[in-house]
Amino acid sequence: MWQTQFLSLGMFTGASQFALVGILGTGGGALVAVVTALLLGARNSLYALSLRSFVTTPRRPSIVRTMGQAQLTIDESTAMAIRYPQGSPQARHAFWATGIAIYVLWNLGTLIGALGAAALDDPRTLGLDAAVPAGFIALLWPRLRDRSTIALAVVSAAVAIALVPVLRPGLPVLSAVLVALVAERLMARRRA
Amino acid sequence: MIWPAVIVGSLGAYLLKLFGYVIPERVLDNPRLQRLTAILPIALLAALVGVQTFSTGSAVTIDARVAGLAAAIVALALRAPFLVVILVAAATAAVLRGAGLAL
């Protein structure tokens, strides 16, 4: 239970948290779980990069502020901030308000969930094992914008499933990195 | 092995976020890297959906989770919020198991 709460407090990026728990829960190794979680978290670096011009004040920002800002850099806070002009007070407010609100609610939700799950016998009876992939597809859904992203998703899922009998638990998911590398090359070639 | 994964994973995820604020802009200002970072979550999330729905350990399986996933997709197509999608999927699997219609 404390492990789950620690993830929400410390990691605070939903897809990575779900991936870490999902892979550990289905017998995958700790290393594979961490690598997958971090690959999913890599997009936050790019969010941070684009948020610099939106949220940061012209003055040199304090270290504490930047460190807090980093922890709140997630899908939602980025999406809210970049709707406003760069460097505007609205963009700053949108970022901090969204980030803090989600941080508090996310952690409250985690606490309730962790307490509830601790009282359960078999999570399968309540269909909680079906809730895991449902959570992933709900995170995936808004990213499926066109035919090429849908194709990428279908191929990634198919390759990973095909590798299940061959590789150790947890590893098949990482095949998605190779699929993404190939897809990136194809997209680059089509653009050129 | 769970605590080390939790701690290392959390620290790493935080450093990735901080990284974007402290490194010189041109390091991440690479179109290829940006494209890859944009599509990587799609590929990884899709692979997670596939594996977490259609496998148990090292075996490819079909059970109540498939029905749960189908229900989740319907809910998403109807623009249901995140929590509803998850509850619909769990309830579908639970009902099918309770009725003895699926493993």
Side-chain angles (χ1 to χ4, degrees):
Chain A
M1 192 197 119
W2 291 113
Q3 294 160 337
T4 318
Q5 193 66 51
F6 188 96
L7 277 183
S8 276
L9 290 166
M11 189 175 267
F12 189 55
T13 176
S16 302
Q17 288 179 235
F18 292 147
L20 188 87
V21 175
I23 291 173
L24 288 174
T26 49
L31 186 65
V32 181
V34 169
V35 168
T36 311
L38 293 184
L39 284 169
L40 274 167
R43 70 188 188 286
N44 289 331
S45 295
L46 283 192
Y47 290 164
L49 187 68
S50 41
L51 279 175
R52 279 176 168 189
S53 59
F54 281 92
V55 179
T56 313
T57 42
R59 292 179 290 127
R60 204 181 145 70
S62 74
I63 293 172
V64 179
R65 195 185 169 98
T66 306
M67 289 182 73
Q69 195 171 325
Q71 182 63 331
L72 299 181
T73 301
I74 51 168
D75 293 347
E76 294 85 349
S77 53
T78 306
M80 295 306 276
I82 60 176
R83 292 161 69 183
Y84 298 100
Q86 302 199 352
S88 68
Q90 293 98 313
R92 256 198 321 281
H93 292 157
F95 172 83
W96 287 99
T98 312
I100 292 170
I102 294 187
Y103 193 79
V104 171
L105 293 175
W106 183 249
N107 275 287
L108 272 178
T110 304
L111 184 62
I112 295 168
L115 287 172
L120 276 178
D121 276 348
D122 182 7
R124 282 171 47 91
T125 323
L126 283 179
L128 290 192
D129 56 336
V132 178
F136 287 125
I137 200 154
L139 290 167
L140 174 63
W141 196 260
R143 296 173 207 274
L144 299 177
R145 261 165 273 138
D146 50 32
R147 237 188 264 176
S148 59
T149 47
I150 295 172
L152 170 65
V154 171
V155 172
S156 304
V159 170
I161 295 169
L163 290 173
V164 161
V166 192
L167 299 176
R168 289 180 46 198
L171 282 176
V173 169
L174 288 179
S175 66
V177 178
L178 296 178
V179 176
L181 280 168
V182 173
E184 190 277 328
R185 285 292 81 193
L186 289 175
M187 285 175 180
R189 195 175 306 167
R190 200 163 39 168
R191 200 156 309 175
Chain B
M1 279 312 278
I2 293 181
W3 268 117
V6 165
I7 293 169
V8 174
S10 297
L11 193 66
Y14 179 71
L15 290 177
L16 280 171
K17 294 174 180 173
L18 195 59
F19 185 63
Y21 287 105
V22 295
I23 48 134
E25 286 198 25
R26 60 180 179 337
V27 178
L28 282 178
D29 195 13
N30 168 340
R32 193 171 168 195
L33 190 64
Q34 292 196 353
R35 265 200 307 274
L36 195 60
T37 330
I39 63 172
L40 197 54
I42 299 174
L44 282 170
L45 287 169
L48 282 161
V49 171
V51 169
Q52 301 271 343
T53 306
F54 294 96
S55 77
T56 305
S58 286
V60 176
T61 51
I62 290 183
D63 60 21
R65 284 174 294 173
V66 181
L69 182 69
I73 291 174
V74 172
L76 285 165
L78 296 172
R79 298 175 176 272
F82 188 77
L83 207 56
V84 174
V85 172
I86 289 174
L87 289 175
V88 164
T92 304
V95 167
L96 285 177
R97 281 193 187 125
L101 292 171
L103 282 175

PDB file of all heavy atoms in Angstrom, chain B residues 17-49:
ATOM      1  N   LYS B  17      11.846  14.806 -15.866  1.00  0.00           N
ATOM      2  CA  LYS B  17      11.095  16.065 -15.904  1.00  0.00           C
ATOM      3  C   LYS B  17      12.048  17.251 -15.700  1.00  0.00           C
ATOM      4  O   LYS B  17      12.017  18.227 -16.442  1.00  0.00           O
ATOM      5  CB  LYS B  17      10.043  16.084 -14.794  1.00  0.00           C
ATOM      6  CG  LYS B  17       8.922  15.066 -14.948  1.00  0.00           C
ATOM      7  CD  LYS B  17       8.042  15.092 -13.698  1.00  0.00           C
ATOM      8  CE  LYS B  17       6.888  14.111 -13.761  1.00  0.00           C
ATOM      9  NZ  LYS B  17       6.159  14.052 -12.482  1.00  0.00           N
ATOM     10  N   LEU B  18      12.905  17.140 -14.692  1.00  0.00           N
ATOM     11  CA  LEU B  18      13.830  18.232 -14.351  1.00  0.00           C
ATOM     12  C   LEU B  18      14.792  18.499 -15.520  1.00  0.00           C
ATOM     13  O   LEU B  18      15.105  19.642 -15.840  1.00  0.00           O
ATOM     14  CB  LEU B  18      14.608  17.850 -13.095  1.00  0.00           C
ATOM     15  CG  LEU B  18      15.352  18.976 -12.379  1.00  0.00           C
ATOM     16  CD1 LEU B  18      14.388  20.064 -11.939  1.00  0.00           C
ATOM     17  CD2 LEU B  18      16.094  18.439 -11.163  1.00  0.00           C
ATOM     18  N   PHE B  19      15.214  17.408 -16.147  1.00  0.00           N
ATOM     19  CA  PHE B  19      16.128  17.438 -17.282  1.00  0.00           C
ATOM     20  C   PHE B  19      15.689  18.463 -18.331  1.00  0.00           C
ATOM     21  O   PHE B  19      16.477  19.258 -18.823  1.00  0.00           O
ATOM     22  CB  PHE B  19      16.146  16.021 -17.872  1.00  0.00           C
ATOM     23  CG  PHE B  19      17.114  15.792 -18.976  1.00  0.00           C
ATOM     24  CD1 PHE B  19      18.470  15.908 -18.759  1.00  0.00           C
ATOM     25  CD2 PHE B  19      16.668  15.418 -20.241  1.00  0.00           C
ATOM     26  CE1 PHE B  19      19.371  15.668 -19.791  1.00  0.00           C
ATOM     27  CE2 PHE B  19      17.561  15.171 -21.274  1.00  0.00           C
ATOM     28  CZ  PHE B  19      18.909  15.303 -21.035  1.00  0.00           C
ATOM     29  N   GLY B  20      14.380  18.456 -18.639  1.00  0.00           N
ATOM     30  CA  GLY B  20      13.859  19.352 -19.666  1.00  0.00           C
ATOM     31  C   GLY B  20      13.964  20.823 -19.296  1.00  0.00           C
ATOM     32  O   GLY B  20      13.913  21.692 -20.159  1.00  0.00           O
ATOM     33  N   TYR B  21      14.110  21.125 -17.999  1.00  0.00           N
ATOM     34  CA  TYR B  21      14.214  22.524 -17.567  1.00  0.00           C
ATOM     35  C   TYR B  21      15.653  23.002 -17.473  1.00  0.00           C
ATOM     36  O   TYR B  21      15.914  24.195 -17.554  1.00  0.00           O
ATOM     37  CB  TYR B  21      13.552  22.707 -16.193  1.00  0.00           C
ATOM     38  CG  TYR B  21      12.045  22.651 -16.231  1.00  0.00           C
ATOM     39  CD1 TYR B  21      11.378  21.526 -15.776  1.00  0.00           C
ATOM     40  CD2 TYR B  21      11.298  23.718 -16.719  1.00  0.00           C
ATOM     41  CE1 TYR B  21       9.995  21.465 -15.805  1.00  0.00           C
ATOM     42  CE2 TYR B  21       9.921  23.672 -16.755  1.00  0.00           C
ATOM     43  CZ  TYR B  21       9.264  22.539 -16.298  1.00  0.00           C
ATOM     44  OH  TYR B  21       7.913  22.475 -16.330  1.00  0.00           O
ATOM     45  N   VAL B  22      16.572  22.077 -17.232  1.00  0.00           N
ATOM     46  CA  VAL B  22      17.934  22.523 -16.929  1.00  0.00           C
ATOM     47  C   VAL B  22      18.948  22.363 -18.061  1.00  0.00           C
ATOM     48  O   VAL B  22      19.956  23.047 -18.077  1.00  0.00           O
ATOM     49  CB  VAL B  22      18.478  21.826 -15.648  1.00  0.00           C
ATOM     50  CG1 VAL B  22      17.666  22.265 -14.443  1.00  0.00           C
ATOM     51  CG2 VAL B  22      18.456  20.330 -15.789  1.00  0.00           C
ATOM     52  N   ILE B  23      18.666  21.470 -19.019  1.00  0.00           N
ATOM     53  CA  ILE B  23      19.663  21.302 -20.082  1.00  0.00           C
ATOM     54  C   ILE B  23      19.517  22.405 -21.138  1.00  0.00           C
ATOM     55  O   ILE B  23      18.452  22.978 -21.287  1.00  0.00           O
ATOM     56  CB  ILE B  23      19.542  19.929 -20.773  1.00  0.00           C
ATOM     57  CG1 ILE B  23      18.063  19.689 -21.120  1.00  0.00           C
ATOM     58  CG2 ILE B  23      20.109  18.816 -19.952  1.00  0.00           C
ATOM     59  CD1 ILE B  23      17.905  19.198 -22.496  1.00  0.00           C
ATOM     60  N   PRO B  24      20.606  22.674 -21.884  1.00  0.00           N
ATOM     61  CA  PRO B  24      20.506  23.667 -22.959  1.00  0.00           C
ATOM     62  C   PRO B  24      19.456  23.224 -23.973  1.00  0.00           C
ATOM     63  O   PRO B  24      19.346  22.024 -24.255  1.00  0.00           O
ATOM     64  CB  PRO B  24      21.903  23.639 -23.596  1.00  0.00           C
ATOM     65  CG  PRO B  24      22.786  22.972 -22.606  1.00  0.00           C
ATOM     66  CD  PRO B  24      21.939  22.082 -21.785  1.00  0.00           C
ATOM     67  N   GLU B  25      18.687  24.169 -24.501  1.00  0.00           N
ATOM     68  CA  GLU B  25      17.544  23.825 -25.355  1.00  0.00           C
ATOM     69  C   GLU B  25      17.918  23.003 -26.576  1.00  0.00           C
ATOM     70  O   GLU B  25      17.170  22.144 -27.003  1.00  0.00           O
ATOM     71  CB  GLU B  25      16.827  25.101 -25.803  1.00  0.00           C
ATOM     72  CG  GLU B  25      16.024  25.727 -24.687  1.00  0.00           C
ATOM     73  CD  GLU B  25      14.978  26.699 -25.194  1.00  0.00           C
ATOM     74  OE1 GLU B  25      14.553  26.564 -26.347  1.00  0.00           O
ATOM     75  OE2 GLU B  25      14.594  27.586 -24.416  1.00  0.00           O
ATOM     76  N   ARG B  26      19.105  23.274 -27.148  1.00  0.00           N
ATOM     77  CA  ARG B  26      19.401  22.616 -28.426  1.00  0.00           C
ATOM     78  C   ARG B  26      19.587  21.107 -28.285  1.00  0.00           C
ATOM     79  O   ARG B  26      19.425  20.377 -29.260  1.00  0.00           O
ATOM     80  CB  ARG B  26      20.611  23.248 -29.091  1.00  0.00           C
ATOM     81  CG  ARG B  26      21.882  23.177 -28.279  1.00  0.00           C
ATOM     82  CD  ARG B  26      23.035  23.854 -29.053  1.00  0.00           C
ATOM     83  NE  ARG B  26      24.333  23.925 -28.460  1.00  0.00           N
ATOM     84  CZ  ARG B  26      24.681  23.879 -27.195  1.00  0.00           C
ATOM     85  NH1 ARG B  26      23.791  23.709 -26.318  1.00  0.00           N
ATOM     86  NH2 ARG B  26      25.894  23.980 -26.769  1.00  0.00           N
ATOM     87  N   VAL B  27      19.885  20.608 -27.067  1.00  0.00           N
ATOM     88  CA  VAL B  27      20.094  19.172 -26.903  1.00  0.00           C
ATOM     89  C   VAL B  27      18.827  18.383 -27.260  1.00  0.00           C
ATOM     90  O   VAL B  27      18.886  17.353 -27.926  1.00  0.00           O
ATOM     91  CB  VAL B  27      20.515  18.844 -25.455  1.00  0.00           C
ATOM     92  CG1 VAL B  27      20.691  17.341 -25.278  1.00  0.00           C
ATOM     93  CG2 VAL B  27      21.813  19.563 -25.123  1.00  0.00           C
ATOM     94  N   LEU B  28      17.667  18.896 -26.830  1.00  0.00           N
ATOM     95  CA  LEU B  28      16.419  18.197 -27.146  1.00  0.00           C
ATOM     96  C   LEU B  28      15.767  18.738 -28.413  1.00  0.00           C
ATOM     97  O   LEU B  28      14.734  18.256 -28.837  1.00  0.00           O
ATOM     98  CB  LEU B  28      15.440  18.326 -25.981  1.00  0.00           C
ATOM     99  CG  LEU B  28      15.687  17.417 -24.771  1.00  0.00           C
ATOM    100  CD1 LEU B  28      14.669  17.684 -23.690  1.00  0.00           C
ATOM    101  CD2 LEU B  28      15.642  15.956 -25.173  1.00  0.00           C
ATOM    102  N   ASP B  29      16.405  19.748 -29.015  1.00  0.00           N
ATOM    103  CA  ASP B  29      15.813  20.395 -30.172  1.00  0.00           C
ATOM    104  C   ASP B  29      16.218  19.661 -31.443  1.00  0.00           C
ATOM    105  O   ASP B  29      16.867  20.208 -32.324  1.00  0.00           O
ATOM    106  CB  ASP B  29      16.275  21.861 -30.210  1.00  0.00           C
ATOM    107  CG  ASP B  29      15.406  22.660 -31.167  1.00  0.00           C
ATOM    108  OD1 ASP B  29      14.356  22.135 -31.565  1.00  0.00           O
ATOM    109  OD2 ASP B  29      15.797  23.782 -31.505  1.00  0.00           O
ATOM    110  N   ASN B  30      15.823  18.409 -31.516  1.00  0.00           N
ATOM    111  CA  ASN B  30      16.211  17.555 -32.627  1.00  0.00           C
ATOM    112  C   ASN B  30      14.933  16.914 -33.156  1.00  0.00           C
ATOM    113  O   ASN B  30      14.245  16.219 -32.426  1.00  0.00           O
ATOM    114  CB  ASN B  30      17.195  16.510 -32.073  1.00  0.00           C
ATOM    115  CG  ASN B  30      17.473  15.384 -33.033  1.00  0.00           C
ATOM    116  OD1 ASN B  30      16.718  15.124 -33.971  1.00  0.00           O
ATOM    117  ND2 ASN B  30      18.563  14.673 -32.788  1.00  0.00           N
ATOM    118  N   PRO B  31      14.571  17.203 -34.419  1.00  0.00           N
ATOM    119  CA  PRO B  31      13.262  16.740 -34.922  1.00  0.00           C
ATOM    120  C   PRO B  31      13.075  15.228 -34.797  1.00  0.00           C
ATOM    121  O   PRO B  31      11.992  14.757 -34.478  1.00  0.00           O
ATOM    122  CB  PRO B  31      13.260  17.185 -36.385  1.00  0.00           C
ATOM    123  CG  PRO B  31      14.616  17.687 -36.682  1.00  0.00           C
ATOM    124  CD  PRO B  31      15.316  17.974 -35.399  1.00  0.00           C
ATOM    125  N   ARG B  32      14.155  14.482 -35.010  1.00  0.00           N
ATOM    126  CA  ARG B  32      14.033  13.030 -34.948  1.00  0.00           C
ATOM    127  C   ARG B  32      13.692  12.579 -33.527  1.00  0.00           C
ATOM    128  O   ARG B  32      12.804  11.768 -33.286  1.00  0.00           O
ATOM    129  CB  ARG B  32      15.355  12.408 -35.395  1.00  0.00           C
ATOM    130  CG  ARG B  32      15.174  10.960 -35.653  1.00  0.00           C
ATOM    131  CD  ARG B  32      16.325  10.265 -36.287  1.00  0.00           C
ATOM    132  NE  ARG B  32      16.013   8.861 -36.152  1.00  0.00           N
ATOM    133  CZ  ARG B  32      16.869   7.887 -36.309  1.00  0.00           C
ATOM    134  NH1 ARG B  32      18.100   8.144 -36.626  1.00  0.00           N
ATOM    135  NH2 ARG B  32      16.484   6.638 -36.160  1.00  0.00           N
ATOM    136  N   LEU B  33      14.402  13.159 -32.560  1.00  0.00           N
ATOM    137  CA  LEU B  33      14.171  12.822 -31.159  1.00  0.00           C
ATOM    138  C   LEU B  33      12.767  13.236 -30.738  1.00  0.00           C
ATOM    139  O   LEU B  33      12.086  12.512 -30.009  1.00  0.00           O
ATOM    140  CB  LEU B  33      15.219  13.521 -30.297  1.00  0.00           C
ATOM    141  CG  LEU B  33      15.279  13.097 -28.828  1.00  0.00           C
ATOM    142  CD1 LEU B  33      15.682  11.638 -28.722  1.00  0.00           C
ATOM    143  CD2 LEU B  33      16.260  13.964 -28.062  1.00  0.00           C
ATOM    144  N   GLN B  34      12.318  14.391 -31.236  1.00  0.00           N
ATOM    145  CA  GLN B  34      10.984  14.871 -30.863  1.00  0.00           C
ATOM    146  C   GLN B  34       9.894  13.974 -31.424  1.00  0.00           C
ATOM    147  O   GLN B  34       8.924  13.670 -30.736  1.00  0.00           O
ATOM    148  CB  GLN B  34      10.792  16.307 -31.349  1.00  0.00           C
ATOM    149  CG  GLN B  34      11.699  17.259 -30.593  1.00  0.00           C
ATOM    150  CD  GLN B  34      11.295  18.698 -30.748  1.00  0.00           C
ATOM    151  OE1 GLN B  34      10.406  19.020 -31.532  1.00  0.00           O
ATOM    152  NE2 GLN B  34      11.943  19.581 -30.008  1.00  0.00           N
ATOM    153  N   ARG B  35      10.081  13.567 -32.691  1.00  0.00           N
ATOM    154  CA  ARG B  35       9.094  12.649 -33.278  1.00  0.00           C
ATOM    155  C   ARG B  35       9.042  11.358 -32.482  1.00  0.00           C
ATOM    156  O   ARG B  35       7.973  10.840 -32.168  1.00  0.00           O
ATOM    157  CB  ARG B  35       9.456  12.336 -34.738  1.00  0.00           C
ATOM    158  CG  ARG B  35       8.770  13.211 -35.757  1.00  0.00           C
ATOM    159  CD  ARG B  35       8.778  12.552 -37.140  1.00  0.00           C
ATOM    160  NE  ARG B  35      10.123  12.156 -37.558  1.00  0.00           N
ATOM    161  CZ  ARG B  35      10.969  12.973 -38.181  1.00  0.00           C
ATOM    162  NH1 ARG B  35      10.620  14.202 -38.460  1.00  0.00           N
ATOM    163  NH2 ARG B  35      12.161  12.540 -38.531  1.00  0.00           N
ATOM    164  N   LEU B  36      10.221  10.848 -32.133  1.00  0.00           N
ATOM    165  CA  LEU B  36      10.290   9.576 -31.413  1.00  0.00           C
ATOM    166  C   LEU B  36       9.637   9.690 -30.029  1.00  0.00           C
ATOM    167  O   LEU B  36       8.874   8.817 -29.625  1.00  0.00           O
ATOM    168  CB  LEU B  36      11.758   9.145 -31.282  1.00  0.00           C
ATOM    169  CG  LEU B  36      11.973   7.695 -30.871  1.00  0.00           C
ATOM    170  CD1 LEU B  36      11.358   6.759 -31.905  1.00  0.00           C
ATOM    171  CD2 LEU B  36      13.461   7.393 -30.744  1.00  0.00           C
ATOM    172  N   THR B  37       9.910  10.778 -29.338  1.00  0.00           N
ATOM    173  CA  THR B  37       9.313  10.947 -28.005  1.00  0.00           C
ATOM    174  C   THR B  37       7.805  11.099 -28.109  1.00  0.00           C
ATOM    175  O   THR B  37       7.084  10.741 -27.194  1.00  0.00           O
ATOM    176  CB  THR B  37       9.897  12.182 -27.304  1.00  0.00           C
ATOM    177  OG1 THR B  37      11.215  12.380 -27.752  1.00  0.00           O
ATOM    178  CG2 THR B  37       9.907  11.998 -25.812  1.00  0.00           C
ATOM    179  N   ALA B  38       7.328  11.637 -29.238  1.00  0.00           N
ATOM    180  CA  ALA B  38       5.886  11.797 -29.396  1.00  0.00           C
ATOM    181  C   ALA B  38       5.199  10.461 -29.658  1.00  0.00           C
ATOM    182  O   ALA B  38       4.084  10.232 -29.174  1.00  0.00           O
ATOM    183  CB  ALA B  38       5.593  12.776 -30.527  1.00  0.00           C
ATOM    184  N   ILE B  39       5.856   9.567 -30.416  1.00  0.00           N
ATOM    185  CA  ILE B  39       5.167   8.316 -30.759  1.00  0.00           C
ATOM    186  C   ILE B  39       5.488   7.178 -29.793  1.00  0.00           C
ATOM    187  O   ILE B  39       4.745   6.203 -29.717  1.00  0.00           O
ATOM    188  CB  ILE B  39       5.448   7.871 -32.216  1.00  0.00           C
ATOM    189  CG1 ILE B  39       6.929   7.566 -32.421  1.00  0.00           C
ATOM    190  CG2 ILE B  39       4.950   8.890 -33.202  1.00  0.00           C
ATOM    191  CD1 ILE B  39       7.204   6.954 -33.787  1.00  0.00           C
ATOM    192  N   LEU B  40       6.556   7.316 -29.021  1.00  0.00           N
ATOM    193  CA  LEU B  40       6.918   6.237 -28.093  1.00  0.00           C
ATOM    194  C   LEU B  40       5.795   5.886 -27.106  1.00  0.00           C
ATOM    195  O   LEU B  40       5.501   4.702 -26.909  1.00  0.00           O
ATOM    196  CB  LEU B  40       8.206   6.620 -27.352  1.00  0.00           C
ATOM    197  CG  LEU B  40       8.961   5.494 -26.657  1.00  0.00           C
ATOM    198  CD1 LEU B  40       9.256   4.353 -27.620  1.00  0.00           C
ATOM    199  CD2 LEU B  40      10.275   6.025 -26.082  1.00  0.00           C
ATOM    200  N   PRO B  41       5.125   6.883 -26.490  1.00  0.00           N
ATOM    201  CA  PRO B  41       4.031   6.522 -25.578  1.00  0.00           C
ATOM    202  C   PRO B  41       2.913   5.750 -26.277  1.00  0.00           C
ATOM    203  O   PRO B  41       2.325   4.845 -25.678  1.00  0.00           O
ATOM    204  CB  PRO B  41       3.505   7.876 -25.083  1.00  0.00           C
ATOM    205  CG  PRO B  41       4.616   8.821 -25.286  1.00  0.00           C
ATOM    206  CD  PRO B  41       5.377   8.336 -26.482  1.00  0.00           C
ATOM    207  N   ILE B  42       2.645   6.071 -27.553  1.00  0.00           N
ATOM    208  CA  ILE B  42       1.581   5.365 -28.275  1.00  0.00           C
ATOM    209  C   ILE B  42       1.951   3.891 -28.399  1.00  0.00           C
ATOM    210  O   ILE B  42       1.153   3.001 -28.081  1.00  0.00           O
ATOM    211  CB  ILE B  42       1.376   5.980 -29.678  1.00  0.00           C
ATOM    212  CG1 ILE B  42       0.952   7.452 -29.535  1.00  0.00           C
ATOM    213  CG2 ILE B  42       0.358   5.190 -30.486  1.00  0.00           C
ATOM    214  CD1 ILE B  42       0.865   8.197 -30.858  1.00  0.00           C
ATOM    215  N   ALA B  43       3.187   3.629 -28.844  1.00  0.00           N
ATOM    216  CA  ALA B  43       3.625   2.249 -29.035  1.00  0.00           C
ATOM    217  C   ALA B  43       3.652   1.489 -27.701  1.00  0.00           C
ATOM    218  O   ALA B  43       3.173   0.356 -27.608  1.00  0.00           O
ATOM    219  CB  ALA B  43       5.005   2.235 -29.681  1.00  0.00           C
ATOM    220  N   LEU B  44       4.186   2.126 -26.665  1.00  0.00           N
ATOM    221  CA  LEU B  44       4.298   1.441 -25.372  1.00  0.00           C
ATOM    222  C   LEU B  44       2.928   1.184 -24.748  1.00  0.00           C
ATOM    223  O   LEU B  44       2.658   0.086 -24.233  1.00  0.00           O
ATOM    224  CB  LEU B  44       5.149   2.276 -24.406  1.00  0.00           C
ATOM    225  CG  LEU B  44       6.657   2.199 -24.615  1.00  0.00           C
ATOM    226  CD1 LEU B  44       7.360   3.256 -23.777  1.00  0.00           C
ATOM    227  CD2 LEU B  44       7.190   0.815 -24.242  1.00  0.00           C
ATOM    228  N   LEU B  45       2.043   2.181 -24.778  1.00  0.00           N
ATOM    229  CA  LEU B  45       0.716   1.998 -24.190  1.00  0.00           C
ATOM    230  C   LEU B  45      -0.053   0.909 -24.938  1.00  0.00           C
ATOM    231  O   LEU B  45      -0.723   0.068 -24.320  1.00  0.00           O
ATOM    232  CB  LEU B  45      -0.071   3.313 -24.199  1.00  0.00           C
ATOM    233  CG  LEU B  45       0.401   4.369 -23.189  1.00  0.00           C
ATOM    234  CD1 LEU B  45      -0.252   5.715 -23.471  1.00  0.00           C
ATOM    235  CD2 LEU B  45       0.104   3.917 -21.763  1.00  0.00           C
ATOM    236  N   ALA B  46       0.062   0.901 -26.276  1.00  0.00           N
ATOM    237  CA  ALA B  46      -0.635  -0.120 -27.061  1.00  0.00           C
ATOM    238  C   ALA B  46      -0.101  -1.510 -26.722  1.00  0.00           C
ATOM    239  O   ALA B  46      -0.870  -2.467 -26.560  1.00  0.00           O
ATOM    240  CB  ALA B  46      -0.483   0.164 -28.550  1.00  0.00           C
ATOM    241  N   ALA B  47       1.220  -1.617 -26.587  1.00  0.00           N
ATOM    242  CA  ALA B  47       1.811  -2.909 -26.233  1.00  0.00           C
ATOM    243  C   ALA B  47       1.336  -3.347 -24.845  1.00  0.00           C
ATOM    244  O   ALA B  47       1.044  -4.525 -24.622  1.00  0.00           O
ATOM    245  CB  ALA B  47       3.335  -2.811 -26.278  1.00  0.00           C
ATOM    246  N   LEU B  48       1.239  -2.399 -23.922  1.00  0.00           N
ATOM    247  CA  LEU B  48       0.753  -2.728 -22.581  1.00  0.00           C
ATOM    248  C   LEU B  48      -0.701  -3.199 -22.626  1.00  0.00           C
ATOM    249  O   LEU B  48      -1.069  -4.170 -21.955  1.00  0.00           O
ATOM    250  CB  LEU B  48       0.891  -1.513 -21.655  1.00  0.00           C
ATOM    251  CG  LEU B  48       2.304  -1.258 -21.122  1.00  0.00           C
ATOM    252  CD1 LEU B  48       2.452   0.165 -20.611  1.00  0.00           C
ATOM    253  CD2 LEU B  48       2.644  -2.246 -20.008  1.00  0.00           C
ATOM    254  N   VAL B  49      -1.522  -2.519 -23.437  1.00  0.00           N
ATOM    255  CA  VAL B  49      -2.922  -2.949 -23.581  1.00  0.00           C
ATOM    256  C   VAL B  49      -2.951  -4.395 -24.077  1.00  0.00           C
ATOM    257  O   VAL B  49      -3.634  -5.252 -23.503  1.00  0.00           O
ATOM    258  CB  VAL B  49      -3.693  -2.044 -24.579  1.00  0.00           C
ATOM    259  CG1 VAL B  49      -5.066  -2.629 -24.877  1.00  0.00           C
ATOM    260  CG2 VAL B  49      -3.825  -0.631 -24.030  1.00  0.00           C
TER     261      VAL B  49
END
